[in-house]
Amino acid sequence: MPILGMFLGIAVANNLRQLREGRGWTQDEAAAALGTTRNQYAKLEGGSRRLSDKWIKLAGEAYGVDPGDVVTERAGSVPIAGYVGAGTEMHFYAETQGPLDEAPAPEDGTPETVAAEVRGESLGPLFNGWRVYFDDRREPVTDDLVGRLCVVGLADGRVLVKQLLRGRMEGRFALHGQFGEPVLDADVLWAAKVKSMMPG
């Protein structure tokens, strides 16, 4: 599966539903206020269609809020465990970074959910600085994570966010981004499926 296609299964957190319900609007009414169809609006609200700057601006105007209020979750927070690389550069996880700060909690968060800040552009320039959320860390890696976008911890200390595929060597993995060279036959100690993403 191309890596961009994988984002269709990952929620991009936003406040459209809360803003719409706060106004007492149906999705049809919200769609009309943004000048789009109900189907398009439902995809934006559900996170399966990316909120571009254009949609964020339109939603802010429609709901009478600052654009930042459209994409920033308000209720609850989770710790930012550290940075993850979306390239091949070195980044470390909570064991060496500690909680760096807190991030707005995603709607599908659990008490175990943590965030990590993406550093690098192998997922695409848009995602540099975004936060990825995960909570079900598998050590060792389980078969159901193969083909998924995951946060992975490697034996050499790197923590990356990549599509996890089987490697050529037994027990090793290939790690792919949208851009740049893949990391081949990586020794992956643990992996966790990315459950949602949000701008930083």
Side-chain angles (χ1 to χ4, degrees), residues 140-184:
V141 178
T142 53
D143 289 343
D144 60 314
L145 296 181
V146 174
R148 304 289 188 137
L149 186 65
C150 293
V151 176
V152 297
L154 291 103
D156 65 10
R158 284 181 291 173
V159 178
L160 305 173
V161 57
K162 297 280 189 180
Q163 182 184 23
L164 181 74
L165 300 171
R166 295 212 180 280
R168 296 171 296 192
M169 298 170 56
E170 183 69 28
R172 298 294 179 105
F173 296 90
L175 307 174
H176 290 261
Q178 177 69 16
F179 302 102
E181 293 298 315
V183 180
L184 301 175

XYZ file of all heavy atoms in Angstrom, residues 140-184:
342
model
N 8.012 -8.398 21.326
C 8.474 -8.131 19.965
C 7.322 -7.713 19.043
O 6.153 -7.769 19.418
C 9.054 -9.482 19.522
C 8.252 -10.486 20.286
C 7.953 -9.837 21.615
N 7.674 -7.352 17.823
C 6.708 -6.912 16.816
C 5.785 -8.069 16.458
O 6.227 -9.202 16.284
C 7.441 -6.408 15.556
C 6.457 -5.999 14.477
C 8.368 -5.259 15.917
N 4.498 -7.777 16.335
C 3.523 -8.802 15.972
C 3.124 -8.659 14.504
O 3.236 -7.585 13.911
C 2.275 -8.697 16.871
O 1.777 -7.360 16.836
C 2.622 -9.064 18.313
N 2.646 -9.765 13.934
C 2.345 -9.816 12.500
C 1.311 -8.791 12.055
O 1.356 -8.312 10.916
C 1.846 -11.215 12.110
C 2.965 -12.257 12.143
O 4.143 -11.861 12.141
O 2.639 -13.460 12.184
N 0.360 -8.439 12.921
C -0.702 -7.518 12.513
C -0.197 -6.098 12.269
O -0.925 -5.272 11.720
C -1.838 -7.511 13.538
C -1.376 -7.079 14.919
O -0.330 -7.558 15.380
O -2.079 -6.262 15.539
N 1.041 -5.797 12.651
C 1.593 -4.465 12.414
C 2.276 -4.340 11.049
O 2.554 -3.231 10.610
C 2.597 -4.102 13.515
C 2.010 -3.981 14.918
C 3.107 -3.604 15.911
C 0.872 -2.988 14.967
N 2.535 -5.467 10.401
C 3.196 -5.445 9.098
C 2.279 -4.760 8.083
O 1.094 -5.072 7.976
C 3.576 -6.864 8.637
C 4.139 -6.846 7.207
C 4.592 -7.478 9.592
N 2.821 -3.787 7.371
C 2.055 -3.021 6.402
C 1.439 -1.762 6.977
O 0.848 -0.969 6.252
N 1.584 -1.556 8.287
C 0.988 -0.400 8.966
C 2.004 0.714 9.179
O 3.205 0.485 9.237
C 0.447 -0.810 10.339
C -0.550 -1.927 10.337
C -1.856 -1.480 9.746
N -2.869 -2.498 9.910
C -4.106 -2.254 10.268
N -4.495 -1.019 10.489
N -4.968 -3.223 10.373
N 1.488 1.928 9.345
C 2.323 3.050 9.747
C 2.518 2.940 11.252
O 1.540 2.927 12.003
C 1.660 4.379 9.389
C 2.509 5.625 9.642
C 3.738 5.643 8.736
C 1.683 6.884 9.431
N 3.778 2.836 11.672
C 4.081 2.566 13.072
C 5.191 3.477 13.586
O 6.024 3.963 12.816
C 4.565 1.120 13.253
S 3.315 -0.142 12.927
N 5.195 3.657 14.892
C 6.366 4.173 15.584
C 7.181 2.939 15.953
O 6.645 1.985 16.529
C 5.968 4.962 16.848
C 7.203 5.403 17.617
C 5.116 6.161 16.469
N 8.461 2.925 15.565
C 9.295 1.743 15.783
C 10.558 2.118 16.538
O 11.154 3.169 16.310
C 9.662 1.050 14.449
C 8.418 0.541 13.747
C 10.428 1.972 13.524
N 10.952 1.249 17.443
C 12.197 1.414 18.175
C 13.213 0.416 17.672
O 12.946 -0.793 17.654
N 14.366 0.914 17.214
C 15.398 0.044 16.660
C 16.472 -0.281 17.694
O 16.669 0.462 18.665
C 16.027 0.699 15.435
C 15.087 0.780 14.230
C 14.564 2.189 14.086
C 15.780 0.358 12.982
N 17.180 -1.370 17.448
C 18.223 -1.812 18.362
C 19.343 -0.788 18.498
O 20.006 -0.728 19.534
C 18.785 -3.161 17.895
N 19.549 0.053 17.481
C 20.624 1.060 17.550
C 20.196 2.339 18.270
O 20.940 3.308 18.312
C 21.166 1.374 16.154
C 20.134 2.031 15.233
O 19.038 2.428 15.698
O 20.420 2.161 14.024
N 18.968 2.362 18.825
C 18.515 3.508 19.597
C 17.625 4.468 18.846
O 17.014 5.347 19.457
N 17.532 4.351 17.525
C 16.656 5.247 16.772
C 15.194 4.893 17.026
O 14.849 3.723 17.211
C 16.931 5.145 15.275
C 18.179 5.852 14.843
C 18.387 5.747 13.352
N 18.720 4.373 12.984
C 18.832 3.940 11.736
N 18.622 4.777 10.729
N 19.147 2.692 11.486
N 14.359 5.905 17.017
C 12.915 5.723 17.041
C 12.372 6.480 15.840
O 12.589 7.681 15.699
C 12.293 6.243 18.352
C 10.785 6.068 18.317
C 12.884 5.509 19.546
N 11.700 5.760 14.942
C 11.246 6.322 13.679
C 9.751 6.107 13.517
O 9.170 5.226 14.166
C 11.980 5.652 12.505
C 13.510 5.673 12.537
C 14.072 4.815 11.407
C 14.028 7.097 12.422
N 9.151 6.886 12.644
C 7.769 6.634 12.244
C 7.825 6.273 10.762
O 8.220 7.080 9.923
C 6.825 7.820 12.558
C 7.290 9.110 11.920
C 5.391 7.494 12.152
N 7.447 5.031 10.464
C 7.596 4.477 9.120
C 6.536 3.413 8.869
O 5.960 2.858 9.810
C 8.968 3.794 8.967
C 10.175 4.701 9.118
C 10.449 5.473 7.859
C 11.779 6.207 7.942
N 12.054 6.955 6.721
N 6.357 3.077 7.591
C 5.568 1.905 7.246
C 6.437 0.695 7.508
O 7.586 0.617 7.031
C 5.130 1.942 5.785
C 4.257 0.761 5.406
C 3.896 0.742 3.938
O 4.593 1.324 3.106
N 2.819 0.063 3.608
N 5.915 -0.259 8.262
C 6.662 -1.448 8.677
C 6.374 -2.597 7.709
O 5.223 -3.004 7.555
C 6.231 -1.832 10.094
C 6.899 -3.027 10.737
C 8.324 -2.671 11.157
C 6.106 -3.487 11.945
N 7.410 -3.076 7.039
C 7.284 -4.208 6.124
C 8.294 -5.276 6.493
O 9.265 -5.006 7.205
C 7.514 -3.747 4.675
C 6.558 -2.680 4.145
C 7.019 -2.157 2.801
C 5.140 -3.234 4.057
N 8.083 -6.483 6.020
C 9.032 -7.562 6.301
C 10.353 -7.303 5.573
O 10.375 -6.842 4.441
C 8.465 -8.892 5.863
C 7.252 -9.281 6.664
C 7.136 -10.786 6.827
N 5.953 -11.108 7.594
C 5.856 -11.044 8.907
N 6.900 -10.657 9.607
N 4.744 -11.353 9.535
N 11.454 -7.628 6.237
C 12.763 -7.478 5.633
C 13.163 -8.733 4.872
O 12.447 -9.736 4.863
N 14.335 -8.673 4.262
C 14.843 -9.835 3.518
C 15.394 -10.895 4.448
O 15.417 -12.067 4.129
C 15.933 -9.386 2.540
C 15.416 -8.445 1.459
C 16.536 -7.849 0.665
N 17.355 -7.011 1.556
C 18.277 -6.163 1.176
N 18.550 -6.038 -0.103
N 18.954 -5.441 2.042
N 15.854 -10.473 5.626
C 16.411 -11.411 6.605
C 15.342 -11.784 7.623
O 14.496 -10.959 7.983
C 17.613 -10.778 7.316
C 18.762 -10.426 6.399
S 20.025 -9.422 7.229
C 20.440 -10.443 8.626
N 15.381 -13.014 8.085
C 14.436 -13.494 9.090
C 14.486 -12.606 10.337
O 15.557 -12.326 10.866
C 14.778 -14.940 9.470
C 13.820 -15.554 10.457
C 12.436 -15.800 9.880
O 12.320 -16.003 8.651
O 11.476 -15.771 10.669
N 13.316 -12.149 10.770
C 13.237 -11.336 11.976
C 13.622 -9.882 11.797
O 13.670 -9.129 12.771
N 13.907 -9.462 10.570
C 14.251 -8.065 10.294
C 13.126 -7.413 9.491
O 12.292 -8.099 8.901
C 15.564 -7.970 9.514
C 16.775 -8.517 10.249
C 17.087 -7.674 11.478
N 18.217 -8.174 12.225
C 19.417 -7.610 12.224
N 19.643 -6.530 11.498
N 20.381 -8.117 12.955
N 13.143 -6.070 9.457
C 12.058 -5.331 8.817
C 12.603 -4.251 7.894
O 13.690 -3.728 8.098
C 11.163 -4.687 9.887
C 10.467 -5.702 10.742
C 11.058 -6.166 11.902
C 9.233 -6.215 10.373
C 10.432 -7.119 12.692
C 8.597 -7.163 11.145
C 9.204 -7.617 12.310
N 11.801 -3.921 6.888
C 12.072 -2.782 6.012
C 11.148 -1.658 6.446
O 9.958 -1.878 6.679
C 11.820 -3.161 4.553
N 11.705 -0.462 6.564
C 10.954 0.693 7.050
C 10.888 1.734 5.937
O 11.924 2.215 5.482
C 11.631 1.275 8.294
C 11.909 0.271 9.415
C 12.712 0.923 10.520
C 10.609 -0.316 9.948
N 9.685 2.072 5.518
C 9.500 2.946 4.362
C 8.784 4.229 4.732
O 7.862 4.236 5.543
C 8.682 2.234 3.274
C 9.422 1.133 2.604
N 10.039 1.292 1.381
C 9.667 -0.147 2.985
C 10.622 0.156 1.047
N 10.416 -0.732 2.003
N 9.195 5.326 4.072
C 8.504 6.605 4.129
C 8.037 6.955 2.735
O 8.319 6.241 1.766
N 7.318 8.048 2.599
C 6.870 8.501 1.288
C 8.049 8.968 0.444
O 8.072 8.792 -0.758
C 5.847 9.635 1.451
C 5.352 10.240 0.156
C 4.485 9.285 -0.648
O 4.008 8.281 -0.147
N 4.305 9.575 -1.919
N 9.045 9.577 1.108
C 10.212 10.110 0.424
C 11.470 9.540 1.073
O 11.451 9.085 2.199
C 10.237 11.643 0.502
C 9.011 12.280 -0.072
C 8.013 12.768 0.756
C 8.843 12.381 -1.441
C 6.869 13.356 0.240
C 7.703 12.968 -1.973
C 6.707 13.450 -1.130
N 12.561 9.615 0.362
C 13.840 9.175 0.910
C 14.025 7.673 0.802
O 13.128 6.931 0.400
N 15.221 7.246 1.167
C 15.573 5.832 1.081
C 14.972 5.055 2.248
O 14.948 5.552 3.371
C 17.096 5.678 1.103
C 17.794 6.237 -0.131
C 17.365 5.529 -1.399
O 17.298 4.288 -1.394
O 17.078 6.226 -2.394
N 14.513 3.830 2.003
C 14.009 3.013 3.108
C 15.159 2.540 4.003
O 16.319 2.527 3.588
C 13.345 1.829 2.397
C 14.043 1.740 1.078
C 14.417 3.150 0.707
N 14.817 2.170 5.206
C 15.768 1.529 6.115
C 15.544 0.031 5.942
O 14.464 -0.481 6.254
C 15.525 1.958 7.578
C 16.523 1.284 8.502
C 15.597 3.474 7.710
N 16.528 -0.667 5.407
C 16.367 -2.077 5.070
C 16.926 -2.979 6.158
O 17.933 -2.669 6.793
C 17.050 -2.379 3.734
C 16.524 -1.573 2.540
C 17.353 -1.865 1.295
C 15.046 -1.882 2.288
